[in-house]
Structure formats: structure tokens, C-alpha cells
Amino acid sequence: MTEIMTTIVGSAAKQVSISRELPTAIIGERINPTGRKKLQEELKAGKFDTVKDDAIAQVKAGAVILDVNAGVPGADEPALLVQMIEILTELTDVPLCIDTANVEALEAALKVYSGKALVNSVNGEEERLETVLPLIKQYDAAVIGLTMDDEGIPKTLEKRIEIAGKIIDRAAKLDIAAEDIVIDPLAMSVGADDQAGKMALDAVEAIVQKFGVNITMGCSNISFGIPDRELLNGAFLAMAIRCGLTCPITNPLLDEVVISISAADLAMGRDEYAMNWIEGFRKRQEAANK
């Protein structure tokens, strides 16, 4: 395995270090209107109650970074994303992951963000590399690199490794350090392809061994269309952490997810004296006794 890298992101008040030597850094996924009709309607109406509630709940549950997406159909995404970032920055001190495919919205968000943001995302498509990476350099951000390109999502492990290398190399040409690249090998639904989980796990392990970079994934994708999703997500997360996953994008409000992450960290020697595990146990006891 190559050397262990540390990716640092931060808000104006707090830094978060992401590394395979440290406990898993949870990126809370819930501030995203995709598939959430109620949240879409609130955001269209200029209301942010659910955004605020989800932010507070996710941080309380263990998220150390919050993913923020303003992709509401028909909305002014740049303006809405800026407004959401300003609200969240006042509400919490955790770093933000700016989640948008809109380059105009991304630049508007980076202009107002105070700290070192994580950007979600760039990929191997030429247009994305040419438009997103210069912004990452200009605003000193870190970025998630998706292992897909102009031909779509690869069906082979070798192609995903190749795209990861391409993103890292293109970033290096702009003097963006490998530590500021977090690769997403893309977890897909095992309901559509029963080999998708193995592909994602193999890709995590191979990319870590070849490049040493930190790894993220939208881990709930693995269970789309499958019953008992939370149980599958939890098991997959623990396995992925063993393979090298360091900062999953997931829902920390689900006990199965948080417990699996905590158990994986403890089993891998990333929880000194089991203090995090014991704290989680006490919180679960308190909740059960209410």
C-alpha cells in the first residue's frame, strides 16, 4: 500500500482531517432535495426549516462534514446554493461539501465560502476537468473525483483505476496536490447488478493501493431497490472501510449506518480505548430509555 495521505477541509472555525489513520469522517447526505418532494417545495418557497433541522440532526449524530445540494428544478441554483451556504455557516461550524454539477453555482458558492471546502465533484469528462479543476486551484478547495468519463460509468475495474489516475494527473498539472483529491469509485445498486458491490469494494482497494488517496462513496446507492436497505448499507460500509473508504457520504441519522462505522473503526484500531464506541453505546441507551 502506498503512503497514507491526509486531506484537510475546513470552515472558518473548524478543520477536519481525513485519513486512514483516523476515525471515519462521515459526510452527511441529507441536505439534498433530490427525491425529497417536501424539501424541494420548501426551497422553492424560500423556506429552510428542513435544511436547518437536517443540519443540526446530522452533526449531532456524528457527521463532521455536511454535503449541500441546491439542485431544485426551475430554481436559480447559484443564488439558492449561496443562500444555503450562508445559512449553514451561521448555524454550524462543520465544513461543507459543495455538491453541484453547475459550474456557475460552484463558483458562486466558493466565492462566499469561508474555509477550505470539499467540492462534489469533478470526473474524467474533458469538459468537467477543464472547468472544475481551475476553480479548485483558484479557491484552494479539495475535490471529489468520480471514476466516470465521457463514455459513462465503467464496467471494468481497470477503467475506474485509469480514470482515477487521469483526474489525479490533471490536477497535478495545476499544482493541486493529491491530498486534495478524494476519489469516488462509484457504488451502484446491487439490485440492478449483483456484482456492483464487489466492483466498488475492489475499486476502493485498488485505488488506495495504487494512489494512496482518500476515498468517498455515496454508500446508500448500493441498496437502491433492495429491502432492508439500512442493514445492507451498514454491512457494505464496514467492508468498504476495511478496503480503504475514509469519508462516506451517508445518512448518520440511521443507527445501522453509524453503528457499523463505529464498529469498523474500533476493529481497525482507530478508536483509542474504545471511547467512541462506548459513547455511542451510552447515547443509544439514553435514547432507548426516553
Side-chain angles (χ1 to χ4, degrees):
M1 185 177 290
T2 55
E3 68 174 296
I4 293 174
M5 295 185 185
T6 300
T7 301
I8 297 174
V9 297
S11 64
K14 179 179 288 187
Q15 281 192 343
V16 170
S17 296
I18 301 167
S19 168
R20 290 187 298 282
E21 293 182 321
L22 298 172
T24 302
I26 298 175
I27 303 175
E29 70 179 7
R30 288 187 55 79
I31 305 176
N32 187 331
T34 304
R36 300 184 67 188
K37 186 175 180 180
K38 177 186 174 184
L39 180 54
Q40 288 186 19
E41 294 303 320
E42 283 188 14
L43 293 175
K44 284 181 181 178
K47 298 180 180 179
F48 298 93
D49 293 346
T50 298
V51 168
K52 293 176 181 178
D53 290 345
D54 280 349
I56 293 170
Q58 287 185 106
V59 172
K60 184 178 180 181
V64 296
I65 301 169
L66 294 177
D67 188 81
V68 185
N69 183 297
V72 178
D76 181 346
E77 186 176 351
L80 180 58
L81 184 57
V82 166
Q83 192 171 4
M84 291 170 71
I85 286 173
E86 290 174 342
I87 288 169
L88 291 169
T89 298
E90 292 181 1
L91 187 67
T92 178
D93 61 358
V94 302
L96 300 181
C97 177
I98 301 171
D99 184 356
T100 180
N102 183 319
V103 176
E104 182 183 351
L106 174 59
E107 183 162 20
L110 288 170
K111 282 181 178 178
V112 300
Y113 186 75
S114 180
K116 186 179 182 75
L118 178 61
V119 169
N120 188 6
S121 57
V122 71
N123 58 46
E125 296 173 2
E126 283 300 319
E127 182 181 358
R128 295 294 292 174
L129 291 167
E130 292 172 3
T131 55
V132 174
L133 288 182
L135 292 176
I136 301 304
K137 177 62 178 177
Q138 180 180 350
Y139 291 96
D140 188 29
V143 66
I144 294 171
L146 309 181
T147 54
M148 58 181 288
D149 61 10
D150 297 280
E151 297 178 0
I153 299 174
K155 297 186 181 296
T156 68
L157 174 62
E158 292 74 19
K159 185 64 174 177
R160 294 191 193 200
I161 297 170
E162 178 187 323
I163 295 171
K166 178 182 180 181
I167 293 168
I168 294 166
D169 289 344
R170 290 288 287 273
K173 291 179 179 178
L174 294 176
D175 292 325
I176 299 170
E179 288 86 348
D180 285 334
I181 308 296
V182 178
I183 293 296
D184 182 345
L186 297 173
M188 307 304 291
S189 172
V190 294
D193 177 3
D194 61 13
Q195 297 300 302
K198 183 178 185 302
M199 168 67 79
L201 294 173
D202 287 348
V204 171
E205 195 167 36
I207 290 166
V208 167
Q209 289 178 346
K210 188 173 181 65
F211 304 110
V213 293
N214 283 297
I215 302 289
T216 188
M217 280 193 291
C219 289
S220 60
N221 294 345
I222 202 76
S223 63
F224 186 77
I226 294 289
D228 277 342
R229 292 190 66 184
E230 293 81 6
L231 297 177
L232 178 56
N233 291 347
F236 178 76
L237 269 164
M239 296 174 72
I241 289 167
R242 178 64 182 91
C243 290
L245 177 72
T246 49
C247 50
I249 300 172
T250 190
N251 184 356
L253 305 186
L254 299 175
D255 283 344
E256 295 87 348
V257 165
V258 174
I259 292 170
S260 293
I261 291 173
S262 182
D265 283 342
L266 177 56
M268 293 183 67
R270 299 173 184 168
D271 183 1
E272 190 172 16
Y273 301 113
M275 294 305 296
N276 291 335
W277 178 264
I278 293 168
E279 181 183 357
F281 167 73
R282 288 172 176 164
K283 286 181 178 179
R284 293 191 293 275
Q285 276 195 320
E286 289 174 6
N289 292 331
K290 286 183 179 179

